[in-house]
Amino acid sequence: MNPDAFAADLAEKPARLAELAAALERDDPWAPVGLEARSADLVFVGMGSSHYASSVAAARLRARGVRAVAELASSDLLPRTGPGTTVVAVSASGGSRETLDALDRLSGSGARVVGVTNVESSALSARADVVVPMLAGPEHGGVACRSFQHTLALFLTLEAGMTGAPLPAALVRAAADASADLLERESAWLPAVTEAALGPDGTHLAAPARRLSSAQQSALMLREGPRVAAIGCETGDWAHVDVYLTKNTDYRLVLFGGSRWIDGVREWTDPRGTTLVSVGEDLPTAAVTVRYRGDEDDDVRLLSETLVMELVAARRWQAQA
Ligand SMILES: O=P(O)(O)OC[C@H]1O[C@](O)(CO)[C@@H](O)[C@@H]1O
């Protein structure tokens, strides 16, 4: 893994997203899969960031009445599948052994396999009945960052196709604009966010359930690059699991905006003067707030907001190298 190459991978986000948007304007990448919302039976499997994206995708589909679950590929409790099941195996590298192992366990039942990958010549592609390419371009830094973002965009495309909505090319363009805005203004926000978010006791991140992937992926980026202790949780659940650290540690919390449960966070962080970073929403008690173009749209947030802590991770990692 290489910090400079990781930073360069992040800088390429707007251009690669614009290419993805153009591809979505031409074709539906899920057309060969041919899924019907009413009859679909979807099982997503993957690891790490691939699982984070899959979990949000499956929850969104379930909320729209589609039978869909996401499981860690390493789980011993994979769902029962049959000839009517579509297994969506997600792996940016196309080579995670747990994901390939899950296919051994799931596809013997006659289930169809759709491989979502950024490496078309991978073991996953060879095993899949249909391949949906992530179109994120090579990630020379060795860290799944654009591939995570493109996976989410492709899952929003799947959801749109299954629910009769237009394909989200305009949304992907808006995410490209949001990413460009954050990159162009990096020097204005990044030093203060770094100072507030990276503490001696690590970094905590919270996002609403519908965008939990943002907190999880941001934590992963801090761990994978600069090896900073970081953990993600859901904003409502925060008052049940993370609150306990606010009294006795130098607690730092990055909040991705838009949760109905922010009062549960403020009940404890306001009186304790906790150091907060707010992303995508104004919060009067935040030490630093980061706003960016398009952040009033929840799906733009989903596709863009991880760039904030990815850039923080990249710059800290470069400084350590
Ligand atoms: O999507 P893949 O290539 O299967 O990788 C899964 C996870 O493994 C990692 O590559 C780390 O081992 C993460 O970056 C990624 O989220």
Side-chain angles (χ1 to χ4, degrees):
M1 291 193 291
N2 178 297
D4 292 336
F6 176 47
D9 286 340
L10 297 176
E12 259 184 63
K13 277 190 167 197
R16 294 289 181 175
L17 282 169
E19 284 171 18
L20 178 62
L24 295 180
E25 274 156 6
R26 287 192 300 272
D27 289 311
D28 178 358
W30 294 93
V33 183
L35 287 165
E36 297 267 337
R38 245 187 253 162
S39 56
D41 180 13
L42 292 169
V43 176
F44 294 79
V45 286
M47 300 301 294
S49 52
S50 292
H51 178 62
Y52 303 156
S54 300
S55 297
V56 165
R60 288 176 63 119
L61 286 168
R62 282 196 301 276
R64 287 154 180 79
V66 177
R67 280 197 308 279
V69 293
E71 295 287 353
L72 278 167
S74 54
S75 173
D76 293 327
L77 295 174
L78 293 177
R80 188 180 299 182
T81 57
T85 310
T86 299
V87 176
V88 182
V90 189
S91 174
S93 62
S96 285
R97 61 189 175 151
E98 301 87 351
T99 306
L100 298 173
D101 177 78
L103 290 185
D104 291 338
R105 292 182 288 143
L106 288 170
S107 57
S109 64
R112 186 168 56 145
V113 175
V114 177
V116 181
T117 183
N118 205 30
V119 180
E120 290 190 55
S121 59
S122 62
L124 174 59
S125 298
R127 299 278 302 277
D129 299 307
V130 183
V131 174
V132 176
M134 290 179 183
L135 304 175
E139 292 172 314
H140 297 293
V143 176
C145 50
R146 291 197 313 268
S147 53
F148 164 77
Q149 190 175 34
H150 283 224
T151 301
L152 281 169
L154 286 166
F155 287 158
L156 296 189
T157 306
L158 169 67
E159 178 189 309
M162 290 183 80
T163 56
L167 299 190
L171 168 66
V172 175
R173 284 201 191 284
D177 283 350
S179 303
D181 183 41
L182 282 167
L183 286 160
E184 282 157 18
R185 293 186 303 102
E186 178 191 324
S187 60
W189 59 264
L190 187 128
V193 171
T194 304
E195 173 76 24
L198 305 189
D201 296 322
T203 303
H204 300 258
L205 307 107
R210 63 185 187 278
R211 304 194 326 271
L212 181 58
S213 53
S214 299
Q216 294 171 313
Q217 171 73 359
S218 298
L220 176 58
M221 296 297 93
L222 289 170
R223 289 188 227 137
E224 200 169 340
R227 310 292 158 113
V228 166
I231 190 155
C233 78
E234 197 276 328
T235 315
D237 205 29
W238 182 94
H240 300 272
V241 299
D242 248 46
V243 62
Y244 303 110
L245 300 175
T246 54
K247 194 166 176 184
N248 300 328
T249 70
D250 185 349
Y251 186 83
R252 311 295 181 90
L253 177 61
V254 178
L255 278 164
F256 295 99
S259 175
R260 290 198 292 129
W261 304 103
I262 187 67
D263 288 353
V265 176
R266 292 196 55 183
E267 179 183 348
W268 298 100
T269 57
D270 282 12
R272 290 179 178 170
T274 305
T275 307
L276 303 178
V277 174
S278 180
V279 178
E281 178 175 82
D282 292 331
L283 183 67
T285 51
V288 193
T289 295
V290 186
R291 301 296 307 261
Y292 52 90
R293 202 178 302 147
D295 66 10
E296 65 286 348
D297 181 315
D298 208 67
D299 286 344
V300 171
R301 286 169 163 169
L302 176 68
L303 295 183
S304 317
E305 63 196 352
T306 53
L307 181 55
V308 172
M309 296 311 292
E310 285 171 329
L311 277 169
V312 168
R315 299 308 177 207
R316 174 55 62 100
W317 193 16
Q318 285 177 303
Q320 289 167 353

